[in-house]
Amino acid sequence: MSNKLQWIETELQTLKDSGLYNRIRTLSSPQGAWLVVDGKQVLNFCSNNYLGLANHPRIVKAAQDAVTKYGVGPAAVRSIAGTMELHLELERRLAAFKGVESAITFQSGFTANMGTIPALVGKDDAIVSDELNHASIIDGSRLSGAKILRYAHCDPADLDRVLTENRGQFPKVLVITDGVFSMDGDIAPLDKIYEVCLKHDVMLMVDDAHGEGVIGAGGRGIVDHFHLHGKVDVEVGTLSKAFGVVGGVSAGKPIIVEWLRQRGRPFLFSSAMTVPDVAACLAAVDILEESTELVDRLWENARYFKAEMKRLGFDTGLSTTPITPIMLGEAPLAQQFSREMFEAGVFAMAIGFPTVPRGKARIRVMISAAHAREDLDKGLEAFAAVGRKLGVING
Ligand SMILES: *Cc1c(COP(=O)(O)O)cnc(C)c1O
């Protein structure tokens, strides 16, 4: 018998022994404020369903109608026979919503980064990246073959230093930052980062996955939040978080979008977004453009929850967005906290190394417009009880 796969067994055992093995919970209900997880009804504090759109009746109906009319599968990549009028309409609507000139969609936010970064820089060039950027930025950067330089998290002065020391050695330089950082909920100082990029004449890309539908006027994203329209070269985003569907987008200067239609590899070599996804995204744009009600409710919920958690004595870290980390320190405590919360009927995941630095384990609460005030109060009650039991807060 060959044992060529034995190494995987060993690796998996190492993960299990160190408490880093992913045990994946299973849902048997639609997305929403409440879920059935592993057979148990629980309050949902884990989804990126910021606006409650994932199971919104108008979005469901739009997907159903489109399937009736156009079927399901795209049957081709965008550059061969996979571009339908629906795709172009979504791209126009997303650009208009975000207040930029042009947009191109991808199958996911992950593939948007895989497509965009290597199209902009290659092996002679450099990428200057916030040290806490998302895994898909890191992978897209590696794929490009460019030299990767890091600057201190959300620190424009350090970005300036890295550019001053290195700019001259590379024909092209691309600065990349997350818009909203998914583990801490802090917002990149994009206005200051833009000034530094302007000074050094380098390209600027922001990945606004957790900002779209959340920050800026009516959820128009980070470029709108800082009034940087026309200044940021390219804004990558996802349609799978606040938009409640699945898909990715790169939006910004028309020449970049035109280039991505020629050179974005997931656009050229992986099939287009499906019909129901595109139609559902169009309905999401409609909802966002018609009213700020959901975005307003999201923020009202986030402010209430965060203020009450602080009042109870919890440390919610650096967050200024609906992403609410509950800082706990060591990973085993965070894991135990999460298990006790689940017992108490609240689904809130623990996050530890390597997703966050060692000693900075936390529970990450994702607030949604789908939560009613009573839901938040139930969550707060469970946090208070478990926090006291485990000695995280007094009283
Ligand atoms: C979630 C996320 C992605 C990936 O988006 P998907 O559409 O789920 O592939 C990319 N970048 C950032 C910053 C994210 O938070």
Side-chain angles (χ1 to χ4, degrees), residues 7 18 45 50 59 145 170 175-176 260 262 266 288 323 348 382:
W7 66 272
S18 52
F45 273 165
Y50 286 111
I59 294 194
F170 302 96
V175 171
I176 312 180
L260 293 177
Q262 305 301 317
L288 279 160
I323 297 171

Side-chain angles (χ1 to χ4, degrees), residues 48 107-111 113 133-137 178-180 182 207-210 236-241 246-248:
N48 301 318
Q107 304 84 354
S108 71
F110 201 103
T111 57
N113 276 326
N133 274 346
H134 188 259
S136 61
I137 297 176
D178 270 31
V180 174
S182 56
D207 178 344
D208 200 23
H210 284 277
V236 165
T238 177
L239 305 169
S240 59
K241 289 175 178 146
V246 75

